[in-house]
Amino acid sequence: MTTSPAFDAPPGRARRVLCVGAAVMDTLFRVRTLPTGQGKILPYDMLQIAEGMASSAAFAVARLGGHASLWGAVGDDSTGERIIADLSESGIDTSGMLRVERARSAISTILVDDHGERLIVPFYDAGLHETVKPVTREDVSSFDAVLVDVRWPKLALRTLLAAREAGKPAILDADVAGDGVIEMLAPVASHIVFSQPAAERLVGGTAELVKVVGLLKRKFEHAFISVTAGEKGSFWFDDRTGEIVHLTAPKVRAVDTLAAGDIFHGAFALATAEGLPVEETMRVSSIAAALKCQVFGGRTGAPTRAEVCDGLRDWDVGVSRSALLPL
């Protein structure tokens, strides 16, 4: 067991993080149990909120005291107006958002049960992400880190390339995506944080997560490699020691796991932008995601920096290390 560090705000200006990808109007229904067949199910709570992978990550950055900007696309419709207004009112700079004519904004219906598990039915208009603007190193030079998700691959690729050229952390939220998307984006990312399903899919099946991390590191030797696994904790390759590190997950009562991974990525991007060491960055990201799980409402459960600091002090952290085994 080790003692978790504090997460004090850095001196000077707030660090700037650019998030690129999904912006969705979600309708959340809270139910006792998820359905197992046809019929009618009556929720006992509901919420409509603009979120999505990059949007929720940007909100996490803002809640933790960073400056968050979002590049995403919405349709030229009333839903798009609501998405941008909601995110702007949440402290996110949406001046880089794109409104696409003749496209419908992304929407999603989500059921969340009393164990925090969810069922998601998303809709993305195929025309929403057809337009891709050029991205130069000058466009990203004012940011301290860039985070992209897999929902707008062509813009994500251009942004990662520009970030690498500008010498900025180029972070990929490697969740499950269409065929070839991660393989296209990962080679130009400096930091890759995989979800467990995406990681296992990429290496061709389930295995011990320590082995999965090792396989991914061999595949993408140039990048920092991590895998998040919910209540199993997180794993990453320590480039300094050559070991694979396992950080246990904080113990919480999960009410709503929706957006927990996105909050992890937002906290990771901000901590990286602030120059925290990798192990401290992983702890901050883990506690932020865990605290979010205790609150119903998707991204609205993202904690403040003060709440993360309190959580770090109360968390009896477990860390173990394993040597990278030969294939």
Side-chain angles (χ1 to χ4, degrees):
M1 297 292 183
T2 60
T3 302
S4 288
F7 181 38
D8 297 325
R13 63 170 177 80
R15 302 302 187 262
R16 296 171 56 87
V17 177
L18 170 62
C19 300
V20 178
V24 186
M25 179 56 68
D26 282 350
T27 302
L28 281 61
F29 292 108
R30 198 171 186 186
V31 299
R32 296 300 179 192
T33 58
L34 295 179
T36 56
Q38 65 178 358
K40 181 181 292 185
I41 183 168
L42 298 178
Y44 64 92
D45 199 359
M46 71 86 65
L47 174 69
Q48 285 190 310
I49 185 171
E51 47 188 4
M53 297 168 68
S55 299
S56 297
F59 182 65
V61 171
R63 285 281 284 172
L64 293 171
H67 183 284
S69 296
L70 178 66
W71 290 356
V74 297
D76 189 18
D77 52 22
S78 60
T79 301
E81 293 176 3
R82 287 186 61 193
I83 290 172
I84 292 177
D86 192 356
L87 295 173
S88 297
E89 291 167 4
S90 298
I92 300 168
D93 177 2
T94 59
S95 60
M97 294 288 289
L98 178 67
R99 294 174 183 263
V100 183
E101 293 185 4
R102 295 183 296 277
R104 290 170 289 179
S105 297
I107 60 173
S108 183
T109 298
I110 303 168
L111 304 183
V112 181
D113 72 10
D114 283 347
H115 299 288
E117 297 303 320
R118 74 266 191 185
L119 175 65
I120 304 175
V121 184
F123 172 76
Y124 289 89
D125 190 320
L128 196 60
H129 294 149
E130 285 183 351
T131 301
V132 184
K133 65 181 181 179
V135 182
T136 67
R137 61 179 298 172
E138 288 74 23
D139 294 325
V140 301
S141 61
S142 65
F143 298 103
D144 299 293
V146 166
L147 168 68
V148 307
D149 69 27
V150 293
R151 296 294 177 253
W152 196 350
K154 292 180 181 178
L155 182 60
L157 178 61
R158 293 186 180 184
T159 307
L160 289 174
L161 286 167
R164 288 293 295 267
E165 186 179 354
K168 309 292 183 178
I171 305 165
L172 171 60
D173 174 354
D175 202 355
V176 174
D179 291 344
V181 170
I182 291 178
E183 291 89 341
M184 176 180 72
L185 299 177
V188 294
S190 62
H191 299 70
I192 311 172
V193 183
F194 291 89
S195 68
Q196 181 179 353
E200 291 175 342
R201 177 178 175 181
L202 197 61
V203 301
T206 59
E208 291 184 6
L209 285 170
V210 168
K211 182 179 180 181
V212 170
V213 172
L215 291 170
L216 291 170
K217 183 61 182 179
R218 289 186 173 98
K219 190 175 184 69
F220 306 113
E221 295 180 348
H222 66 285
F224 167 81
I225 298 295
S226 174
V227 175
T228 60
E231 63 184 11
K232 299 175 186 175
S234 56
F235 300 76
W236 71 93
F237 184 83
D238 187 330
D239 290 292
R240 182 179 57 85
T241 66
E243 296 173 311
I244 296 169
V245 186
H246 174 219
L247 179 68
T248 59
K251 296 185 182 301
V252 298
R253 180 182 177 274
V255 171
D256 176 10
T257 59
L258 180 67
D262 309 327
I263 302 308
F264 184 105
H265 289 96
F268 181 94
L270 180 60
T272 300
E274 293 180 355
L276 263 65
V278 167
E279 188 166 318
E280 293 184 24
T281 294
M282 295 298 290
R283 295 187 196 184
V284 164
S285 306
S286 297
I287 200 70
L291 292 172
K292 180 265 134 343
C293 290
Q294 298 181 114
V295 181
F296 170 73
R299 69 167 171 89
T300 63
T304 63
R305 187 180 287 261
E307 290 169 337
V308 167
C309 289
D310 289 343
L312 287 169
R313 283 191 290 268
D314 295 338
W315 180 18
D316 196 12
V317 184
V319 179
S320 60
R321 292 176 174 269
S322 304
L324 180 60
L325 300 176
L327 292 178

